[in-house]
């Protein structure tokens, strides 16, 4: 498990984040290749940059042709062509959908009528997709940040002269902690605000954990500092119980809402949506609510790194008006994946230890595959192949 802390006191832009991730060691030439293979010809060039006698990285993103105004479906189509993981695709599409909803609210239009201007350009696609991709490359599971700087001034855009922070930035910063500055330049760009909204699960005064490495990313402004990011290893302590079983602890979120307005099919679809998005577990407890309506409690467990995405999906696919959110600690038995040779071929599974005894357990999907292959039932296969799991 790795964590990332963003020191945003000098601001944040999408290019600053990617530049800082390059400074941590992410190879952005691989990201350039991903876009080119999808027919998006772009140059992504990190540049060693020194400001105020401190060396960091900045980013040059260039493309040969003028970019058209893009609507959301066109942006989604581009993302779907990229050879990145399903998780990176899903999170990138969710981010642009979030931005489209905000732009629609700001301009009083329907989402389908929104066409992106500056944020529809290739550099924004690179910044947003690249951010999720880079986080995945480093195996980062949680991201926290400092308070965000408040700034003033004006900016010129397609809609004319607008006050800073820009309207979309204001919407994205709602619910996030800020502090006052005297700066009259754009410290947080719309893309930077979007990344904060989609990636950061908590705001802290500083990094917390074992420091592994730092990176520094500069934006286009010559003045001021950059975005300093810290890669950390959370301090997860092994515990010993009275039965001499080693355990580990970590933190997760529990999201819960009472549901009395969905059909069975709609509720069932929610399970697929949450699990595909990276939820740890989903369960529904039936009951009765006010006015004697049949209802139930829908709970979703997720890691801190998935909180923003899962919470957004919870609202989008249940249309609940409120979610109870609780951060809690869980205790886990250490486990490891293993591949075991069987009479029917190799099979994926997990092993764990309790009270000094190691126990192997097959993956459900593997048992189903071998059941179809051999015609044997799941209990029969489990007993034959993993006899130590017999009830």
């Amino acid at each position: 498990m790795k964590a990332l802390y963003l020191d945003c006191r000098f601001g944040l832009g999408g290019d600053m984040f990617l530049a800082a991730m390059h400074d941590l060691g992410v190879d952005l030439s691989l990201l350039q290749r991903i876009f080119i293979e999808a027919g998006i010809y772009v140059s992504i060039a990190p540049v060693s940059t020194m400001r105020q006698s401190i060396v960091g990285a900045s980013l040059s993103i260039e493309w040969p042709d003028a970019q058209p105004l893009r609507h959301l479906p066109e942006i989604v189509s581009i993302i779907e062509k990229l050879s990145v993981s399903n998780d990176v695709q899903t999170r990138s599409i969710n981010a642009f959908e979030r931005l489209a909803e905000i732009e629609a609210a700001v301009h009083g239009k329907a989402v389908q009528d929104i066409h992106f201007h500056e944020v529809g350009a290739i550099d924004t696609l690179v910044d947003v997709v690249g951010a999720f991709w880079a986080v995945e490359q480093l195996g980062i599971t949680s991201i926290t940040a400092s308070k965000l700087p408040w700034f003033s001034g004006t900016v010129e855009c397609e809609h004319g002269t607008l006050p800073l922070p820009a309207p979309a930035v204001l919407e994205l910063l709602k619910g996030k902690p800020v502090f006052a500055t005297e700066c009259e330049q754009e410290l947080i760009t719309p893309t930077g605000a979007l990344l904060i909204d989609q990636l950061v699960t908590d705001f802290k005064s500083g990094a917390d954990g074992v420091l592994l490495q730092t990176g520094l990313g500069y934006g286009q402004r010559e003045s001021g500092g950059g975005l300093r990011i810290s890669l950390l290893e959370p301090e997860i302590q092994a515990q010993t119980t009275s039965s001499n079983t080693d355990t580990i602890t970590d933190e997760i979120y529990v999201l819960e809402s009472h549901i009395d307005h969905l059909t069975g099919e709609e509720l069932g679809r929610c399970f697929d949506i949450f699990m595909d998005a990276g939820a740890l577990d989903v369960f529904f407890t039936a009951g009765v609510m006010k006015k004697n309506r049949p209802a139930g409690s829908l709970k979703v467990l997720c890691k801190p790194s998935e909180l923003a995405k899962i919470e957004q999906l919870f609202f989008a696919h249940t249309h609940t008006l409120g979610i109870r959110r609780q951060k809690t600690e869980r205790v886990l038995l250490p486990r490891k994946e293993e591949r075991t040779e069987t009479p029917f071929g190799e099979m994926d599974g997990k092993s764990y230890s309790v009270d000094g005894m190691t126990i192997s357990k097959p993956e459900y999907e593997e048992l189903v595959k071998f059941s179809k292959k051999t015609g044997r039932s799941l209990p029969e296969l489990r007993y034959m192949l993993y006899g130590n799991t017999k009830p």
Side-chain angles (χ1 to χ4, degrees):
M1 294 175 58
K2 293 179 182 176
L4 193 68
Y5 179 75
L6 312 182
D7 184 347
C8 303
R9 74 184 77 181
F10 296 113
L12 174 65
D15 59 335
M16 295 170 69
F17 182 83
L18 267 188
M21 293 296 279
H22 163 76
D23 207 33
L24 275 186
V26 176
D27 185 358
L28 295 183
S29 67
L30 300 178
L31 181 65
Q32 175 179 289
R33 186 186 310 162
I34 287 170
F35 274 90
I36 291 176
E37 288 176 350
I40 306 298
Y41 298 98
V42 61
S43 168
I44 306 173
V47 180
S48 179
T49 303
M50 178 180 289
R51 293 181 186 166
Q52 298 176 321
S53 300
I54 304 297
V55 176
S58 60
L59 199 62
S60 171
I61 303 176
E62 298 179 350
W63 55 93
D65 304 318
Q67 294 301 303
L69 296 178
R70 293 188 173 92
H71 291 76
L72 181 60
E74 295 165 309
I75 292 176
V76 170
S77 178
I78 291 174
I79 295 173
E80 290 176 340
K81 293 176 183 177
L82 301 175
S83 56
V84 294
S85 70
N86 289 336
D87 184 63
V88 170
Q89 280 193 355
T90 299
R91 299 186 74 179
S92 300
I93 291 171
N94 287 342
F96 275 103
E97 288 176 342
R98 167 84 163 134
L99 189 57
E101 291 170 357
I102 286 176
E103 291 284 356
V106 166
H107 299 297
K109 296 182 178 180
V111 170
Q112 62 267 24
D113 295 330
I114 289 295
H115 60 266
F116 296 100
H117 303 287
E118 292 88 349
V119 295
I122 291 299
D123 54 345
T124 303
L125 277 162
V126 170
D127 289 345
V128 174
V129 176
F132 294 117
W133 173 83
V135 166
E136 183 180 79
Q137 291 294 299
L138 292 184
I140 294 167
T141 58
S142 65
I143 301 179
T144 57
S146 66
K147 288 184 177 182
L148 307 172
W150 190 261
F151 51 99
S152 59
T154 60
V155 64
E156 299 295 329
C157 67
E158 193 269 346
H159 296 288
T161 302
L162 295 178
L164 292 174
V169 173
L170 283 177
E171 290 297 316
L172 288 165
L173 292 187
K174 284 183 177 178
K176 283 102 176 160
V178 300
F179 67 92
T181 76
E182 299 299 322
C183 185
E184 295 185 355
Q185 299 184 62
E186 188 174 50
L187 294 180
I188 300 179
T189 68
T191 307
L194 182 65
L195 294 183
I196 287 288
D197 183 74
Q198 296 291 298
L199 286 172
V200 174
T201 58
D202 201 2
F203 293 87
K204 299 183 177 181
S205 59
D208 185 12
V210 179
L211 183 62
L212 302 178
Q213 195 173 352
T214 63
L216 179 60
Y218 291 115
Q220 300 306 310
R221 289 189 306 113
E222 291 295 331
S223 60
L227 171 71
R228 187 177 297 278
I229 63 177
S230 302
L231 187 66
L232 305 151
E233 186 176 84
E235 293 183 280
I236 300 176
Q237 301 293 331
Q239 302 175 342
T240 302
T241 67
S242 58
S243 60
N244 295 320
T245 297
D246 290 334
T247 62
I248 57 176
T249 62
D250 69 357
E251 290 184 332
I252 62 171
Y253 278 92
V254 181
L255 304 179
E256 180 182 13
S257 183
H258 287 162
I259 302 295
D260 66 354
H261 58 286
L262 297 182
T263 68
E265 291 88 350
E266 292 166 347
L267 184 60
R269 175 61 177 155
C270 289
F271 278 64
D272 295 333
I273 293 291
F274 292 139
M275 295 306 294
D276 289 344
L280 296 170
D281 206 352
V282 186
F283 56 97
F284 183 80
T285 305
V288 178
M289 282 179 58
K290 59 190 176 186
K291 300 180 183 178
N292 297 322
R293 290 195 296 250
S297 174
L298 179 63
K299 287 187 179 181
V300 183
L301 310 185
C302 68
K303 296 179 181 178
S305 59
E306 308 295 337
L307 175 62
K309 174 177 60 175
I310 297 296
E311 197 170 74
Q312 180 183 346
L313 291 173
F314 206 129
F315 279 117
H317 289 276
T318 67
H319 284 215
T320 184
L321 299 181
I323 300 172
R324 291 177 294 281
R325 181 173 68 189
Q326 182 180 9
K327 192 175 186 178
T328 186
E329 189 178 80
R330 63 174 179 170
V331 182
L332 304 168
L333 288 176
R335 78 287 304 270
K336 65 178 181 179
E337 296 181 357
E338 62 180 13
R339 193 160 180 81
T340 303
E341 184 65 40
T342 77
F344 307 114
E346 291 188 336
M347 178 176 287
D348 291 330
K350 288 187 177 72
S351 66
Y352 59 93
S353 297
V354 59
D355 288 341
M357 179 174 59
T358 299
I359 299 174
S360 297
K361 189 176 182 180
E363 294 288 0
Y364 167 74
E365 292 80 5
E366 290 285 274
L367 285 176
V368 170
K369 181 176 71 176
F370 279 86
S371 177
K372 292 177 179 178
K373 179 179 178 180
T374 65
R376 298 179 182 274
S377 69
L378 296 184
E380 185 179 5
L381 280 173
R382 186 178 64 206
Y383 179 69
M384 290 178 61
L385 301 176
Y386 290 85
N388 58 4
T389 64
K390 180 181 178 182

